[in-house]
Amino acid sequence: MTDPTAPLPDLGAQTRIVAQLADHVADHHLTAPTPCPDYTVGDLLAHLHNLSLAFRSAALKDFGPRTDTAPTTAKPVLSADWRTELPKALDAMADAWRDPSAWTGGTRAGGVALPGEVAGAVAADELVIHAWDLARALDLPYTPDPEALSSAHTFLQAAATLPDRPTGLFGPIVSVPEDASLLDRALGLSGRDPGWRR
């Protein structure tokens, strides 16, 4: 359970990092590979747009296709005006999670019923890990927001202990050194090799 006296996490710093990375994407990057084996850069940007819309709806408890469709149902399609739509969707997602009611009660995301605080942690995880995916695909430096990274790592650590770990969301855990950075440990728990390069 989240400490009721602690300030709520703010996803805004991490959504801004994602948007800044996306600003570096040129058209010729869209077909480049990413650490997600099934996603090109264009696919990853489309996924980031879709998850921003979905987690905004999850925060608002606005249930429907956006909250109830699994991300693996179909490969995401990048819209023609993603350069304006993605930053707006990221901002709206972060703003929705600033409402304390987003973190309480039950909600849904990806077709799964979740407590609000868990959905918020999943949102942080998606932003942190996929921003790394994008940075590596573009060969750019990446430093995640510390608060979002901590939330993502805590979620991934808990998910790693589940007997029915959802393999559709995570690949097999990648071992990293015990003294690895928190980001590298989170990446390993998500099924990514921190040493991946394009």
Side-chain angles (χ1 to χ4, degrees), residues 99-151:
D99 186 336
S101 66
W103 298 86
T104 61
T107 190
R108 294 201 295 272
V112 179
L114 297 166
E117 64 184 290
V118 174
V122 175
D125 167 61
E126 292 276 349
L127 292 168
V128 167
I129 300 300
H130 287 314
W132 178 85
D133 291 333
L134 186 56
R136 290 284 61 76
L138 300 173
D139 198 22
L140 292 172
Y142 172 55
T143 302
D145 171 63
E147 187 177 42
L149 173 59
S150 177
S151 182

Side-chain angles (χ1 to χ4, degrees), residues 43-145:
D43 297 331
L44 180 58
L45 292 167
H47 177 62
L48 281 162
H49 182 248
N50 290 349
L51 75 85
S52 297
L53 297 174
F55 278 97
R56 175 182 181 271
S57 294
L60 298 173
K61 277 64 167 190
D62 181 16
F63 304 131
R66 283 183 179 160
T67 57
D68 297 349
T69 302
T72 53
T73 300
K75 184 170 272 195
V77 177
L78 189 64
S79 70
D81 25 347
W82 68 267
R83 294 182 188 280
T84 55
E85 289 182 355
L86 177 58
K88 287 179 182 176
L90 287 163
D91 283 347
M93 172 190 176
D95 190 55
W97 284 97
R98 290 187 180 108
D99 186 336
S101 66
W103 298 86
T104 61
T107 190
R108 294 201 295 272
V112 179
L114 297 166
E117 64 184 290
V118 174
V122 175
D125 167 61
E126 292 276 349
L127 292 168
V128 167
I129 300 300
H130 287 314
W132 178 85
D133 291 333
L134 186 56
R136 290 284 61 76
L138 300 173
D139 198 22
L140 292 172
Y142 172 55
T143 302
D145 171 63

Side-chain angles (χ1 to χ4, degrees), residues 151-171:
S151 182
H153 180 262
T154 299
F155 164 71
L156 288 164
Q157 208 167 30
T161 65
L162 295 174
D164 54 345
R165 173 181 160 90
T167 53
L169 297 179
F170 313 107

